[in-house]
Amino acid sequence: MEKVEIKDGFWSNYRELVRSEMIPYQWNVLNDRAGITIEKERTDGGSPSEKSHAIENLKIAAGRTKGEHYGWIFQDSDVYKWLEAVAYSLQEHPDPELQKIADETVDLIAEAQDEDGYLHTYIQLRCPDLKFKRLGEAHELYCAGHFFEAATAYHAVTGNEKVLEVAKKWADCLVRNFGPGKIEGTDGHEEVEIGLLKLYRSTGEKRYLDLAKYFMDIRGSVMPFFKKQLEEDPHRESAWGIGNGDGRYLQADVDVTKQTVARGHAVRQVYLTTAMADLAAETGDQEYLDACKRLWEDVTKRQMYITGGIGSTANGEAFTSDYDLPLGTMYCETCASVGMVFWARQMLRCESRSEYADVMERELYNGTISGMALDGKHFFYVNPLSVDPRKIKNDPLKTHVKPVRPSWLGCACCPPNLARLLTSLDQYIYTLKDDTILVNLFIGSEAEFEVSGSRAFIAQETEYPHDGTIRIKVTGSDGMKVGIRIPGFLADDGVVSSATKAAYTLTRGGQKVETDPEKGYVYLQGPFTGEEIIFRFELKPELYAANPFVESMAGKAALMRGPVVYCLEEADNGKDLETLAVSADTEFTYAREQGTLGNIGVITAKGMRKKPGENTALYRKIRSRAYSKTEVDLKWIPYYAWANRGEGEMTVFIKYDDFQLE
Ligand code: FUB
Ligand code: ZN
């Protein structure tokens, strides 16, 4: 019963880019006719990267062509994520030609499906005797989950019944095969749970929700099962799916409800918590919600970069330890930031707390869209916070850190994940809860909801994040409420309280609203008759320092304006960005700029460049002051727009307060 249409100066461009460039481009890549060079995501002999072959794999499984499977064990999921993005795109922008291609893809998938519902081209084509026998690494259920997500979206938008039939047949195959007394295991990579919960909502079939819960409940005790499968695997090549075997890599070391810290593979962790929070929202399961809250706290307060990036190490694409946030070797996979948005959305369904929307917004304006170039055809897998091409090229531990976005990646999980997020962005702006509509994101949009049995309309007009004025119009009955999020960045410590009222004004029909924020939202009571609600705050460039426990960021600061993280690039500031510094009381100037990076907001200020001078020693006595200082003009651009002007240095963090020390 909800319909949200985005009409926004910032996001409509991104959505149009995905629709007009990225979706057709991805389709060509999936069909191996894009005429591009695919790069490895990092130097690793074993990773397939010559071609995608994803559609061809399905054609071979369908018996339409002959050949061998090529690609990752989860190559099918690239097609499913593409299909999901197409579904959302068609919703906003009907396109019979694209729909025909997507319908034909559904036909192909249906033909590739086995009689009993099984569907996973890697196993079907390479080792059919290993169906469900290599669950630690095979990604069968992972791919199933992505297919269920695609199928429910495509069915909802286009009414295509076949896609839902294929999904139900596959899910019923899982129901028949998994559970107590059947296969008592799950997938090494979470995702099927998210898909099953969507399938449950789409069909009303509770067996899908039950299976999703089974797959999560068994995680904490599944390691012996994975190990036994490995021992019995006649084609065993590696054990990468289960890491070093202690279960941490795949969140299987302890019961999911007992987890206290986020560890292991970052995408797996946040897909798990997305599903747990979804299940908690559906069923009210308090244990699931409590675990999610603990993990949320750990991730967002101790393991997240300022860009929203998560995963501190390339080794296992994983979390490491609290406050371990290195700047030059971090991982910050695009998928992990996309996953954070999914998780935040589910947390908002469970609890009306603005901190979830704050993180969602941080991810959206920074760690997610930095994954795509402004042409919609080049992508980052890893989103670094600092790059110096000279310092990565000889370090085998930094091959994942790339200074420019490749045309495509051998492991292509990230680009289509971003596409499905951006095309479904309308689902994140508002959260509808009983009689209340939460306004989570400030995005120009028109929406229609059913609230407490009657229709409600809500429209937002804004130039955010360039400007901090949001005009909202609501019509709706007296039983309903609208909760407006007060962004955490308006409070000095990030925690919204009654004191934060000094940082904004909120008026309704010209009258000031004095109500205190409640867990970060200010609630307005209906009836609403279309009177204008104006929410206004100043967006100022602000320097942010990290918690002192974070060693890599000591003495450094990052610049943000509202939700947007800024960075310095060599193209604007010359080489040797590590020699630059600002003072804590620097005055910053913000301006809009139209140029090669599109219409962006740039920030300028006076800063300092410190060079060794005549003393070129690697170490010197601090009191010797043997270096030269020059005042320089500094220019920051939004982090999301970096690496669009060729190879060069970039840094999010800059030294600060350094001059006072001298
Ligand atoms: O394993 C499937 C996907 O590939 C993961 O989610 C990504 O992190 C990448 O490893
Ligand atoms: Zn990815």
Side-chain angles (χ1 to χ4, degrees):
M1 299 305 284
E2 63 183 77
K3 202 173 126 212
V4 182
E5 211 182 319
I6 293 184
K7 296 176 174 175
D8 186 72
F10 187 91
W11 291 107
S12 293
N13 291 342
Y14 267 98
R15 285 156 65 83
E16 180 55 19
L17 188 65
V18 172
R19 186 191 75 78
S20 62
E21 300 294 339
M22 194 169 167
I23 287 177
Y25 177 75
Q26 275 185 58
W27 180 243
N28 284 335
V29 174
L30 296 175
N31 282 280
D32 302 304
R33 56 177 185 232
I36 52 161
T37 304
I38 299 179
E39 279 184 39
K40 286 187 193 302
E41 49 287 350
R42 58 184 171 270
T43 305
D44 173 354
S47 54
S49 61
E50 280 85 52
K51 55 190 172 184
S52 162
H53 212 251
I55 292 291
E56 191 61 23
N57 291 337
L58 285 162
K59 284 187 181 162
I60 301 168
R64 290 192 193 176
T65 55
K66 297 230 169 303
E68 287 177 5
H69 182 279
Y70 179 87
W72 284 93
I73 211 160
F74 45 84
Q75 207 82 344
D76 294 351
S77 61
D78 295 356
V79 179
Y80 303 154
K81 287 187 216 166
W82 174 86
L83 183 64
E84 190 184 343
V86 168
Y88 303 135
S89 170
L90 288 174
Q91 181 170 32
E92 185 185 72
H93 211 284
D95 177 343
E97 220 172 290
L98 180 62
Q99 190 168 336
K100 185 163 171 288
I101 295 172
D103 282 345
E104 287 167 0
T105 308
V106 170
D107 293 343
L108 175 63
I109 296 167
E111 277 178 52
Q113 185 171 38
D114 286 348
E115 211 34 61
D116 65 353
Y118 186 91
L119 179 61
H120 186 72
T121 65
Y122 184 101
I123 300 281
Q124 285 169 302
L125 299 177
R126 294 201 198 197
C127 41
D129 54 320
L130 284 184
K131 285 182 185 172
F132 303 138
K133 294 208 170 112
R134 199 187 254 184
L135 283 158
E137 78 174 52
H139 285 65
E140 286 151 297
L141 312 187
Y142 168 90
C143 289
H146 277 301
F147 182 65
F148 300 155
E149 290 202 75
T152 48
Y154 196 66
H155 172 259
V157 173
T158 66
N160 183 311
E161 291 296 337
K162 189 188 250 181
V163 77
L164 201 60
E165 284 313 312
V166 176
K168 285 197 295 192
K169 201 168 154 189
W170 191 190
D172 287 333
C173 172
L174 300 182
V175 171
R176 278 196 311 279
N177 278 286
F178 288 87
K182 301 184 251 180
I183 303 173
E184 297 187 1
T186 184
D187 198 293
H189 194 315
E190 301 90 333
E191 161 60 28
V192 70
E193 304 82 358
I194 298 177
L196 280 168
L197 288 166
K198 287 191 176 177
L199 198 58
Y200 156 69
R201 275 191 288 276
S202 168
T203 61
E205 300 290 354
K206 189 166 169 294
R207 61 181 181 278
Y208 302 142
L209 178 140
D210 293 341
L211 186 60
K213 182 156 178 0
Y214 174 78
F215 283 143
M216 292 187 269
D217 286 343
I218 199 166
R219 262 203 119 64
S221 55
V222 80
M223 285 312 288
F225 167 87
F226 285 141
K227 287 178 184 166
K228 188 157 179 289
Q229 282 209 326
L230 257 179
E231 279 159 24
E232 292 168 357
D233 188 337
H235 310 290
R236 173 179 174 172
E237 288 151 12
S238 72
W240 68 266
I242 61 167
N244 65 7
D246 68 3
R248 282 238 128 175
Y249 171 69
L250 55 159
Q251 301 76 45
D253 54 331
V254 55
D255 192 286
V256 293
T257 59
K258 303 279 179 301
Q259 294 191 3
T260 51
V261 285
R263 295 287 185 260
H265 188 268
V267 178
R268 294 176 195 230
Q269 176 75 72
V270 298
Y271 280 13
L272 170 64
T273 43
T274 297
M276 287 174 71
D278 186 347
L279 192 123
E282 290 293 335
T283 65
D285 190 312
Q286 195 59 40
E287 273 195 314
Y288 266 47
L289 179 58
D290 289 344
C292 283
K293 286 169 70 170
R294 284 194 303 272
L295 291 165
W296 179 270
E297 173 98 3
D298 183 49
V299 172
T300 62
K301 305 236 166 30
R302 295 182 283 277
Q303 297 200 77
M304 192 175 73
Y305 286 88
I306 196 161
T307 53
I310 52 169
S312 296
T313 176
N315 190 344
E317 313 182 305
F319 291 106
T320 53
S321 312
D322 291 352
Y323 303 110
D324 178 36
L325 295 163
L327 285 175
T329 52
M330 71 287 94
Y331 210 64
C332 298
E333 182 179 341
T334 306
C335 281
S337 277
V338 169
M340 285 297 293
V341 179
F342 297 157
W343 184 16
R345 175 173 180 232
Q346 297 303 340
M347 292 305 281
L348 280 165
R349 287 181 65 211
C350 297
E351 288 192 314
S352 306
R353 276 185 182 278
S354 64
E355 65 180 273
Y356 302 128
D358 283 344
V359 171
M360 182 192 275
E361 185 178 64
R362 182 185 295 276
E363 301 286 359
L364 284 170
Y365 285 101
N366 306 292
T368 58
I369 52 174
S370 60
M372 178 170 71
L374 299 175
D375 67 357
K377 292 179 180 167
H378 293 83
F379 307 93
F380 275 140
Y381 188 122
V382 165
N383 294 276
L385 278 87
S386 136
V387 170
D388 182 341
R390 296 167 300 189
K391 290 180 184 163
I392 52 179
K393 78 170 187 264
N394 296 324
D395 186 344
L397 293 179
K398 290 183 184 159
T399 60
H400 61 290
V401 182
K402 300 195 187 293
V404 283
R405 295 174 185 83
S407 301
W408 198 254
L409 296 138
C411 174
C413 49
C414 300
N417 228 353
L418 187 54
R420 71 187 181 124
L421 173 71
L422 292 175
T423 46
S424 61
L425 188 62
D426 45 285
Q427 299 178 14
Y428 297 83
I429 303 172
Y430 304 100
T431 302
L432 178 60
K433 298 174 101 167
D434 305 322
D435 59 351
T436 304
I437 300 172
L438 297 182
V439 181
N440 304 316
L441 300 172
F442 308 121
I443 295 182
S445 53
E446 286 175 8
E448 194 180 332
F449 297 93
E450 170 116 357
V451 189
S452 317
S454 49
R455 307 299 300 158
F457 299 88
I458 180 160
Q460 282 192 67
E461 261 185 41
T462 180
E463 289 282 301
Y464 190 81
H466 293 298
D467 178 75
T469 302
I470 296 109
R471 296 173 189 277
I472 304 173
K473 280 195 179 155
V474 187
T475 36
S477 64
D478 53 358
M480 72 172 274
K481 281 190 266 181
V482 170
I484 296 173
R485 172 181 146 244
I486 309 301
F489 59 72
L490 293 179
D492 276 351
D493 58 359
V495 181
V496 172
S497 66
S498 54
T500 318
K501 281 160 73 181
Y504 66 83
T505 58
L506 182 63
T507 58
R508 177 180 180 177
Q511 302 296 310
K512 193 152 187 228
V513 177
E514 298 286 359
T515 329
D516 281 351
E518 231 176 276
K519 294 177 186 160
Y521 287 88
V522 169
Y523 290 91
L524 308 177
Q525 180 68 51
F528 296 95
T529 54
E531 68 273 32
E532 194 167 53
I533 298 159
I534 304 178
F535 182 33
R536 201 171 261 148
F537 46 87
E538 197 185 344
L539 285 168
K540 291 186 288 205
E542 300 261 15
L543 286 172
Y544 285 75
N547 183 301
F549 290 133
V550 184
E551 189 210 346
S552 68
M553 297 166 196
K556 296 179 177 175
L559 190 60
M560 288 186 75
R561 183 175 178 274
V564 180
V565 174
Y566 277 75
C567 69
L568 294 153
E569 273 204 302
E570 181 181 328
D572 301 306
N573 302 286
K575 283 196 179 301
D576 305 328
L577 297 181
E578 69 276 16
T579 61
L580 299 174
V582 288
S583 109
D585 52 19
T586 300
E587 282 186 19
F588 297 97
T589 306
Y590 173 81
R592 299 281 285 266
E593 187 178 278
Q594 178 70 43
T596 45
L597 299 179
N599 187 350
I600 56 165
V602 299
I603 299 175
T604 50
K606 291 279 180 211
M608 194 67 78
R609 188 183 282 282
K610 295 197 322 185
K611 291 242 174 171
E614 286 179 5
N615 183 350
T616 55
L618 192 51
Y619 305 100
R620 58 175 173 78
K621 290 179 182 162
I622 287 181
R623 60 188 159 75
S624 78
R625 294 179 196 170
Y627 49 79
S628 71
K629 285 188 298 181
T630 339
E631 194 181 66
V632 286
D633 292 317
L634 298 177
K635 180 175 176 182
W636 285 257
I637 61 161
Y639 174 71
Y640 65 77
W642 88 277
N644 280 285
R645 294 174 290 181
E647 186 173 303
E649 293 175 41
M650 182 279 294
T651 186
V652 168
F653 280 88
I654 182 171
K655 295 191 190 104
Y656 79 103
D657 252 346
D658 220 5
F659 345 4
Q660 273 93 323
L661 297 175
E662 291 152 30

